[in-house]
Amino acid sequence: MIQDVLREPAKAAIFLVADVRPGSEAAVRDLLADVAGLTRAVGFRAPGDQLSCVVGIGASLWPRLYRTRAPRDLHPFRGLSGARHTAPATHGDLLFHLRGRRLDLCFELERQLMRRLAGHVRVLDEVQGFKYFDERDLLGFVDGTENPAGDKAAAALAIGDADPAYAGGSYVVVQKYLHDLDAWQALPVAEQERVVGRSKLSDIELTDQPVNSHVAVTTIVDRDGTERQIVRENMAFGSPGSGEFGTYFIGYAGTPAVIERMLHRMFVGEPPGNHDRILDFSTAVTGSLFFVPTADFLDNPTSAGTDGSLGIGSLKRSSR
Ligand code: HEM
């Protein structure tokens, strides 16, 4: 069973990226098996508020935690350098993506997770995100409209036949972006709309789409006409007191290649030089890639061996 990736858009989220200290692997593996239970315990007290938590595992942590071979496409995030803009790669062993309708629920679940992880992890980045008015980001545009839904979303997420032992899992990329809001707000709204590729108030896609608009650059269509989609749940974050305004990008897909292609088109450009204009106002300061195992795998890591390709014994007993 897939982790809780497919949810209605959240109002609040916490993104926590951490490294695992040497020697803490068993404690972390135990905690990961309990995340679903902890989420249930915190979320049950607020029925309808949709608390969920997705766990991602980074490439360098995988062999430290599990004896099963790593998922085929799991690798460290590859940074990108275009003529004007750079996407840095930053390290991360673990990602916790907590979300729901209320920040207090996310906060309480994070507190419970950290109680268990105290002394075992080093927190590298922690962001509390929110949706700004009607599903907008801090650039003031509605964010998430073209996300696939239902079966299309499930298909975009699924690993499927490409790696049967990990079918039902997914990959996730996170990037923290900081906006130059002064420069953005100095831009007339009609020009902002050409940067994003949609109208600001009514959120309708522009018919005369500039080739370097965000929408044009991130729309990927295969030769056979199939659109390659990802599932996003960006959140606004910031601190007006210290002048920080940002978007936390999070994208899930059955293969990282789709997200990597989008990033290549955004930062390097296809053709080179046609970079995404949203980057002229947004600087990426982090970038990490994780595998999202199924809930069943986290509960019982031997469950990945069902296709016989992993050659593992009783991992639960032998490696804990
Ligand atoms: C669309 C904002 C980064 C992929 C959009 C839209 C907005 C937006 C406002 C239009 C509405 C929608 O369909 O959601 C942002 C901001 C970002 C960011 C503020 C960071 C500064 C990224 C990144 C990727 C990405 C890094 C991929 C690697 C997409 C895709 C669409 C989209 C696939 C839908 C395109 C379509 O089919 O129309 N984004 N985005 N975005 N974005 Fe982003």
Side-chain angles (χ1 to χ4, degrees):
M1 189 180 57
I2 197 156
Q3 285 187 61
D4 259 338
V5 175
L6 289 176
R7 283 278 174 150
E8 66 176 54
K11 291 289 170 211
I14 294 178
F15 303 94
L16 188 76
V17 175
D19 271 354
V20 174
R21 294 188 191 282
S24 290
E25 291 79 5
V28 167
R29 203 167 38 235
D30 286 349
L31 178 273
L32 295 187
D34 291 346
V35 167
L38 288 170
T39 307
R40 217 170 17 251
V42 176
F44 190 74
R45 289 150 55 192
D49 283 329
Q50 302 265 331
L51 178 67
S52 67
C53 176
V54 175
V55 174
I57 298 172
S60 55
L61 180 63
W62 187 274
R64 292 171 55 200
L65 285 192
Y66 305 117
R67 288 193 191 171
T68 52
R69 71 150 173 82
R72 285 191 209 292
D73 293 329
L74 180 58
H75 54 257
F77 180 82
R78 298 173 183 137
L80 289 135
S81 277
R84 291 270 298 280
H85 299 293
T86 301
T90 49
H91 197 261
D93 280 339
L94 282 175
L95 167 74
F96 293 97
H97 177 197
L98 297 84
R99 61 188 153 159
R101 289 202 177 134
R102 288 164 36 189
L103 183 60
D104 61 343
L105 287 178
C106 302
F107 183 91
E108 173 61 9
L109 179 55
E110 183 191 9
R111 195 176 73 83
Q112 296 293 345
L113 295 174
M114 287 312 298
R115 272 186 45 183
R116 290 276 301 272
L117 291 172
H120 296 301
V121 298
R122 190 164 67 90
V123 173
L124 303 172
D125 194 32
E126 181 186 23
V127 171
Q128 293 187 351
F130 57 92
K131 273 279 154 65
Y132 196 49
F133 298 102
D134 31 68
E135 304 296 322
R136 291 173 194 270
D137 53 39
L138 288 182
L139 299 180
F141 280 73
V142 177
D143 198 338
T145 316
E146 295 298 338
N147 248 342
D151 288 351
K152 281 193 173 168
L157 290 174
I159 287 181
D161 294 346
D163 195 356
Y166 291 104
S170 196
Y171 292 90
V172 62
V173 167
V174 293
Q175 279 184 306
K176 186 174 169 179
Y177 285 88
L178 297 178
H179 299 304
D180 181 348
L181 268 203
D182 289 341
W184 178 250
Q185 278 157 2
L187 210 62
V189 169
E191 200 48 37
Q192 292 181 355
E193 293 177 333
R194 291 175 58 76
V195 171
V196 173
R198 300 184 76 94
S199 57
K200 193 169 186 180
L201 181 65
S202 54
D203 185 33
I204 305 295
E205 191 167 332
L206 302 189
T207 44
D208 53 341
Q209 195 68 245
V211 290
N212 57 0
S213 75
H214 182 58
V215 164
V217 166
T218 54
T219 301
I220 296 184
V221 183
D222 282 346
R223 284 211 182 95
D224 66 1
T226 317
E227 187 173 348
R228 303 299 301 274
Q229 293 187 299
I230 65 174
V231 174
R232 296 167 285 132
E233 196 165 352
N234 294 358
M235 283 283 169
F237 69 90
S239 160
S242 53
E244 184 183 78
F245 302 96
T247 295
Y248 200 94
F249 164 79
I250 181 159
Y252 291 90
T255 161
V258 179
I259 305 175
E260 287 166 348
R261 173 93 193 276
M262 289 175 182
L263 288 171
H264 188 265
R265 287 171 58 87
M266 286 178 71
F267 283 84
V268 178
E270 290 178 14
N274 185 54
H275 74 258
D276 188 330
R277 276 193 72 205
I278 216 169
L279 299 179
D280 295 340
F281 306 90
S282 318
T283 304
V285 293
T286 68
S288 318
L289 187 154
F290 305 88
F291 174 66
V292 179
T294 58
D296 295 338
F297 179 88
L298 290 176
D299 191 39
N300 174 16
T302 54
S303 62
T306 48
D307 72 344
S309 65
L310 302 175
I312 48 165
S314 178
L315 189 114
K316 215 169 186 178
R317 254 171 299 141
S318 59
S319 62
R320 285 195 173 203

